[in-house]
Amino acid sequence: MTRAAALPATLKRRQLGLLRLVMVTFFIVSGGPYGLEEVVGKSGPGIALLLLVVTPLIWAVPTALMVAELSSMMPVEGGFYAWVKRALGPFWGFLEGWWSWLASFVDMALYPVLFASYLVSLLERLGVAALGDDPVLRWALGLLVIWPFALLNVRGARPVGTSSVLIGVLVLTPFAVMTYLGLSQLGGADTATWTQLTLPDRPLVDAFGVGLFIVMWNYSGWDSVSTVGEEIDRPRRTIPLTLLITVPLITLVYLLPTLAGLVGTPDAAGWTEGALPDLAAALGGDWLGVWVAVVGMLTAAALFSGNLLSV
């Protein structure tokens, strides 16, 4: 009897196919170029673009290959916990699971806060100010993410995958528009965006180190998809294909909007944390800035949902 045939009926109804798993992985690892603004603001345009290209080659690709190999060999619930337990024994397997669980308390708390921050920023753009000063309101906004998406996870992996596909389409669309607008204007720019390798007041080594830290964080999380191995349709085929698709997808989603944003805002001083809607507005107008801000809320919700599935 195959492993898939041996699954309980409840898991069979919740299996993730290729498209759903691609989008779940996209949101576990990335969710879009949010959070990358500081790479340009602290390291410089040239270093930022270089790191976005080089880091996946030396960091994401080796990790993804390792995950593909081990997931193909052991497509089980628990994923990396089961790998460590098999290789090093129950004690170290327990510690791996325990540490990952504790780390999730910090990681999972970020996304409802991000959702509330983007919603407050959006309302301020629309002229509704001072909401961000109310801590009770921010708690309430965070619960708008926690409760619905926790319920979605209780229903199983398949609904999480379906919602990730729908949100993924909504998230990728404005960045495709932003990329088109930026690249279409690139030829008319006075100077090449990447000619300023680093900021004038920052040494090359410091700029590289600060930027690498941020970019590595944004290219991490590939192993998280392994924890639902038995809820994936044909995991020995689907997981490697998913990683083959998502590594270049995420690289392009990071690289192209950043390059486009530099056309509209070449001054690195404008690249601060949370400035992506403003960068989009400088490139395409206020409508694009509002669109990217709305998508930021959806991204935060999908990040919460996908990471909740993995833990």
Side-chain angles (χ1 to χ4, degrees), residues 34 118 174-175 178 276-277 280 287-297:
Y34 298 97
Y118 272 107
F175 292 115
M178 183 177 174
L276 197 57
W287 62 272
L288 186 57
V290 171
W291 194 2
V292 170
V294 172
V295 163
M297 295 161 47

Side-chain angles (χ1 to χ4, degrees), residues 39-122:
V39 182
V40 176
K42 292 184 176 180
S43 298
I47 285 290
L49 295 174
L50 179 65
L51 287 172
L52 290 175
V53 173
V54 172
T55 304
L57 298 177
I58 62 175
W59 171 253
V61 170
T63 304
L65 290 174
M66 178 270 294
V67 173
E69 180 179 3
L70 291 176
S71 295
S72 299
M73 182 179 69
M74 297 178 62
V76 296
E77 291 294 279
F80 52 77
Y81 156 76
W83 305 341
V84 175
K85 181 179 179 182
R86 174 78 174 271
L88 302 176
F91 174 73
W92 290 104
F94 169 79
L95 288 182
E96 168 65 24
W98 180 254
W99 289 334
S100 298
W101 188 53
L102 289 179
S104 73
F105 292 170
V106 178
D107 186 44
M108 297 297 296
L110 295 174
Y111 308 120
V113 174
L114 282 174
F115 175 86
S117 297
Y118 272 107
L119 180 54
V120 168
S121 175
L122 174 63

Side-chain angles (χ1 to χ4, degrees), residues 13 37 41 48 62 68 107 109 113 137 142 148 150 156 174 176 223 227 247 255 271 294 310:
R13 290 197 300 269
E37 303 97 326
D107 186 44
V113 174
L137 178 63
D223 57 335
T227 58
V247 171
L255 178 64
W271 288 72
V294 172
S310 72

